Amino acid sequence: MTDILSDQEMVRYCRQILLPSCDIEGQERLKQAKVLVIGLGGLGCAAAQYLGAAGAGHLTLVDFDQVELSNLQRQVLHTSANIGDNKAVSAKQTIAAINPEISIVAIEHKLGDAELQRMINSHDVVVDCCDNLVTRISLNQWCFTFKTPLVSGAAIRMEGMVSCFDYSENTPCYQCFSQLFGEQQLSCMEAGVLSPAVGIIGSIEAAEAIKLITGIGKPLVGRVLLADISTMSFREMKLNKSAKCPICG
Ligand SMILES: [Zn+2]
């Protein structure tokens, strides 16, 4: 695969290339990009679907979980026929059908520390679509080490948040953010989640990843977007670097 767009790709992505801030150059940058998506649940299905359709050239999808009936309400890359299949494999099949021009790797096992580090070091952006704090903390740690930008999103009930960390000087990291919220850990299994809530947050994560790759616009670095789907209100919170942060302080 060359970095230059084929005639087919020029047509496929023409609505995006029409954007002056993207243009052919932005689309080619997207084609060259290696994006690591951690988790192919509700957030990951939305984020990976848009990234794949938009032309992110190399997607690595990581999930060791299997598709269950109770996932299908919101994990829209998996179908009823995929119940029992690995989520990364199922997501890969659907995205490949949407866009056969890109390369997609599905990783079906839990990444060990060494493998996770190697992955983060060899990708251009990490999109955190996981459902637990331990993984988020570990992604942040290695993204900080290798200076790989991280897009982080979370959704539960009818609420969600998104932020980006590019680890440039004087910008906060995920740990700075999580310190503000303590150890609160709720899962969708316990608290429930409205189907489109994960779609909205996952789509925002895809937009932020595309912006970080192409240089379009202004990503959510040093800012947290908080979404309340019940009132459909969006708030922004400024996020400062914590001097006491064990990772970046
Ligand atoms: Zn920090």
Side-chain angles (χ1 to χ4, degrees):
M1 197 156 61
T2 63
D3 297 339
I4 307 298
L5 298 169
S6 66
D7 291 348
Q8 281 279 100
E9 288 172 306
M10 288 294 286
V11 176
R12 178 179 284 271
Y13 305 125
C14 66
R15 298 297 189 278
Q16 208 158 262
I17 292 170
L18 271 172
L19 298 171
S21 56
C22 180
D23 214 317
I24 294 175
E25 197 185 312
Q27 193 65 49
E28 285 176 346
R29 253 184 238 147
L30 201 52
K31 181 176 178 174
Q32 293 166 45
K34 297 186 177 70
V35 183
L36 181 62
V37 180
I38 305 290
L40 276 302
L43 296 172
C45 280
Q49 181 174 32
Y50 274 108
L51 284 163
H58 308 268
L59 285 182
T60 306
L61 310 177
V62 185
D63 204 313
F64 60 86
D65 212 4
Q66 274 86 44
V67 178
E68 292 176 31
L69 179 58
S70 61
N71 299 149
L72 300 182
Q73 157 253 16
R74 65 195 180 284
Q75 304 185 10
V76 294
L77 291 176
H78 316 308
T79 68
S80 299
N82 293 123
I83 291 173
D85 294 348
N86 173 271
K87 288 186 183 180
V89 172
S90 162
K92 174 183 167 170
Q93 284 167 355
T94 309
I95 299 169
I98 295 169
N99 190 355
E101 306 279 359
I102 62 170
S103 79
I104 311 169
V105 174
I107 296 183
E108 302 177 54
H109 58 269
K110 201 179 166 103
L111 295 177
D113 238 16
E115 196 180 10
L116 180 63
Q117 288 178 50
R118 192 160 47 75
M119 286 281 172
I120 288 175
N121 195 19
S122 62
H123 284 76
D124 299 304
V125 178
V126 177
V127 184
D128 166 20
C129 298
C130 79
D131 59 359
N132 68 88
L133 192 64
V134 175
T135 306
R136 292 183 197 283
I137 294 289
S138 148
L139 291 176
N140 177 63
Q141 184 187 335
W142 300 121
C143 284
F144 173 79
T145 302
F146 299 111
K147 302 288 179 270
T148 306
L150 172 68
V151 181
S152 192
I156 198 158
R157 295 179 295 243
M158 296 180 74
E159 299 144 36
M161 53 89 21
V162 188
S163 190
C164 297
F165 307 95
D166 70 359
Y167 307 103
S168 57
E169 199 137 352
N170 296 321
T171 61
C173 77
Y174 181 81
Q175 189 96 32
C176 298
F177 167 69
S178 72
Q179 281 174 349
L180 299 175
F181 289 82
E183 296 289 301
Q184 183 198 15
Q185 264 214 77
L186 271 177
S187 72
C188 292
M189 204 157 68
E190 297 152 356
V193 63
L194 187 77
S195 171
V198 290
I200 291 166
I201 298 299
S203 303
I204 295 174
E205 289 192 78
E208 292 302 297
I210 291 170
K211 285 161 61 186
L212 285 163
I213 291 162
T214 56
I216 295 175
K218 187 171 165 242
L220 283 164
V221 174
R223 300 181 289 150
V224 184
L225 182 73
L226 301 165
D228 181 345
I229 309 300
S230 69
T231 57
M232 206 48 88
S233 49
F234 292 77
R235 275 191 309 135
E236 192 183 292
M237 193 180 83
K238 197 171 184 301
L239 187 64
N240 292 316
K241 190 182 178 83
S242 161
K244 281 180 250 154
C245 176
I247 303 294
C248 73

